[in-house]
Amino acid sequence: MDYSRILAGQGEPHPIFSRVVEALENYEEFPFLLEPIYREASELEDEDLNRLRFGLVRLQVYADIHRYEDMEAAQRMKYVASTLERVLFGRLLLEGEEAGGKQQCC
């Protein structure tokens, strides 16, 4: 599976995507890659951070679309992408306000 292509979408791959791909390909190493990815992301400019976030969102959407083809791979993609997005951005972009802990009135 070409994780880099999924992360990059229509654009050019960003160097940080290789770290995310490494986490996907070496899932057992993900806990040890989390901090290096966080540190590298903390040095990115806003535009590159947005590219990273949308890459993670694309990965989650791709996992949802293809979940029945390979459930284990889809679960790994979804877990890595959503964990990184929560650590880096505090919440999931696709997560609604209700799921984010805010209660809706009336």
Side-chain angles (χ1 to χ4, degrees), residues 7 11 14 21 25 31 37-38 41 60 68 83 85-86 95-96:
L7 287 162
H14 192 280
V21 170
E25 291 176 343
I37 293 170
Y38 176 84
Q60 292 169 66
Y68 296 114
T83 299
E85 189 178 2
R86 281 188 181 110
E95 186 174 68

Side-chain angles (χ1 to χ4, degrees), residues 4-100:
S4 292
R5 183 172 170 264
I6 298 166
L7 287 162
Q10 299 294 326
E12 291 294 316
H14 192 280
I16 197 168
F17 293 165
S18 64
R19 292 279 200 171
V20 178
V21 170
E22 184 180 356
L24 292 163
E25 291 176 343
N26 302 302
Y27 187 67
E28 297 292 325
E29 294 296 312
F30 180 50
F32 308 105
L33 296 170
L34 193 55
E35 186 176 357
I37 293 170
Y38 176 84
R39 291 187 186 282
E40 190 172 335
S42 70
E43 296 175 6
L44 295 177
E45 299 292 327
D46 286 345
E47 183 177 329
D48 290 328
L49 270 175
N50 283 334
R51 288 184 61 205
L52 173 58
R53 187 164 202 181
F54 277 98
L56 296 172
V57 168
R58 256 190 309 280
L59 197 60
Q60 292 169 66
V61 170
Y62 185 91
D64 282 341
I65 291 170
H66 297 279
R67 72 177 156 248
Y68 296 114
E69 293 170 20
D70 185 346
M71 290 185 93
E72 188 175 325
Q75 288 174 335
R76 278 195 309 266
M77 282 188 278
K78 188 96 177 198
Y79 181 76
V80 167
S82 63
T83 299
L84 285 172
E85 189 178 2
R86 281 188 181 110
V87 167
L88 298 173
F89 302 101
R91 68 178 186 88
L92 298 176
L93 188 63
L94 296 178
E95 186 174 68
E97 285 188 15
E98 290 180 82

